[in-house]
């Protein structure tokens, strides 16, 4: 899908020359899908970098026993098969490899609206442990943050955290959401072979 870019009016000719296309009904310039190298458009991309998730847009769903109230509560995670990111490097690079987004600082409003409607338990929440807002799963019964399950404590990546992730997504449901444009996310990225099981099930 196309990628939305923020082109000031005075730059429109330059953007057009590079292949950007104006989408009149939403009044935005986009990089069309057939353009694979988005670096020439860098000046109109988020200045602090990040990631554009290409289609298909995946949401992994699972559940666990809440560590506090011990009732069963649903969990989700945002995933991708293909994405363009500047997280690993200063240039925007396309990766065709499954990944999940963790430590999410912000995400496209189009995704936020789907999350708030369909998965309201996954929301931006203040973490007393981290002393900042994070996107996390909250227990639907007692509203406690489901701590290291999905996207906050990176220190456990090579320990219990990864094991939790494996439990979370292996053999569980992977749903595709429908969006008109590729979405932007400001987060860390986890990729790795152990995700393949879940992604294959999504196919
Ligand atoms: Zn609970």
């Amino acid at each position: 899908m196309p990628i939305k870019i923020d082109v000031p009016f005075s730059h429109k000719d330059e953007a057009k020359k590079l292949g950007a296309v104006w989408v009149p009904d939403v009044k935005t310039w986009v990089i069309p899908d057939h353009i694979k190298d988005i670096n020439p458009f860098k000046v109109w991309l988020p200045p602090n970098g990040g990631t554009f998730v290409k289609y298909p847009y995946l949401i992994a769903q699972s559940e666990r026993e809440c560590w506090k109230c011990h009732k069963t509560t649903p969990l989700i995670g945002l995933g991708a098969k293909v994405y363009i990111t500047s997280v690993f490097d200063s240039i925007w690079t396309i990766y065709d490899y499954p990944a999940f987004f963790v430590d999410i600082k912000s995400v496209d409003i189009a995704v936020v609206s789907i999350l708030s409607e369909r998965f309201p338990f996954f929301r931006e929440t203040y973490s007393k442990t981290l002393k900042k807002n994070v996107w996390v799963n909250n227990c639907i019964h007692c509203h406690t943050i489901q701590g290291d399950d999905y996207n906050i404590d990176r220190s456990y990546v090579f320990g219990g955290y990864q094991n939790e992730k494996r439990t979370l997504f292996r053999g569980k449901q992977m749903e595709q959401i429908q969006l008109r444009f590729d979405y932007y996310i400001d987060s860390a990225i986890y990729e790795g072979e152990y995700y393949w099981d879940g992604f294959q099930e999504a196919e």
Side-chain angles (χ1 to χ4, degrees):
M1 298 289 174
I3 292 173
K4 286 184 283 181
I5 47 173
D6 191 12
V7 179
F9 186 76
S10 60
H11 290 192
K12 67 178 174 54
D13 292 339
E14 199 187 335
K16 198 173 173 181
K17 214 162 103 182
L18 288 168
V21 173
W22 175 249
V23 184
D25 64 313
V26 283
K27 295 187 170 55
T28 187
W29 287 90
V30 296
I31 305 170
D33 208 25
H34 67 84
I35 296 180
K36 299 303 176 199
D37 181 8
I38 67 170
N39 288 286
F41 302 88
K42 199 169 186 170
V43 66
W44 307 300
L45 294 170
N48 299 322
T51 302
F52 288 100
V53 179
K54 303 294 291 178
Y55 184 85
Y57 317 115
L58 301 174
I59 294 187
Q61 300 177 50
S62 187
E63 60 185 29
R64 64 163 285 170
E65 182 188 311
C66 171
W67 63 270
K68 192 168 187 188
C69 74
H70 301 290
K71 290 178 185 166
T72 301
T73 188
L75 305 169
I76 65 151
L78 297 178
K81 280 186 171 171
V82 183
Y83 49 98
I84 301 175
T85 189
S86 66
V87 167
F88 305 130
D89 203 340
S90 57
I91 58 164
W92 294 86
T93 308
I94 190 160
Y95 290 86
D96 187 352
Y97 197 77
F100 281 101
F101 302 104
V102 295
D103 197 12
I104 299 168
K105 295 179 191 75
S106 72
V107 59
D108 197 301
I109 188 72
V111 177
V112 170
S113 70
I114 289 172
L115 293 174
S116 61
E117 191 181 317
R118 299 258 333 270
F119 311 104
F121 55 86
F122 185 75
R123 58 179 179 265
E124 196 173 19
T125 309
Y126 183 74
S127 161
K128 286 178 195 159
T129 316
L130 298 174
K131 297 185 173 57
K132 64 173 184 177
N133 283 345
V134 285
W135 281 85
V136 281
N137 289 289
N138 291 266
C139 175
I140 57 167
H141 308 288
C142 70
H143 309 293
T144 307
I145 289 178
Q146 295 303 293
D148 57 1
D149 264 326
Y150 183 58
N151 68 358
I152 55 168
D153 195 345
R154 299 170 66 184
S155 65
Y156 293 110
V157 166
F158 299 108
Y161 181 84
Q162 196 178 50
N163 291 333
E164 284 282 357
K165 289 277 291 274
R166 190 179 282 142
T167 308
L168 180 53
F169 297 115
R170 173 164 287 176
K172 297 297 181 182
Q173 191 183 352
M174 194 77 83
E175 180 185 332
Q176 292 182 21
I177 54 171
Q178 301 305 317
L179 299 168
R180 185 168 170 192
F181 303 104
D182 289 336
Y183 76 84
Y184 173 77
I185 189 164
D186 183 5
S187 73
I189 298 171
Y190 281 137
E191 46 179 11
E193 277 183 28
Y194 69 94
Y195 293 140
W196 277 108
D197 283 1
F199 280 95
Q200 277 165 352
E201 291 203 359
E203 288 168 351

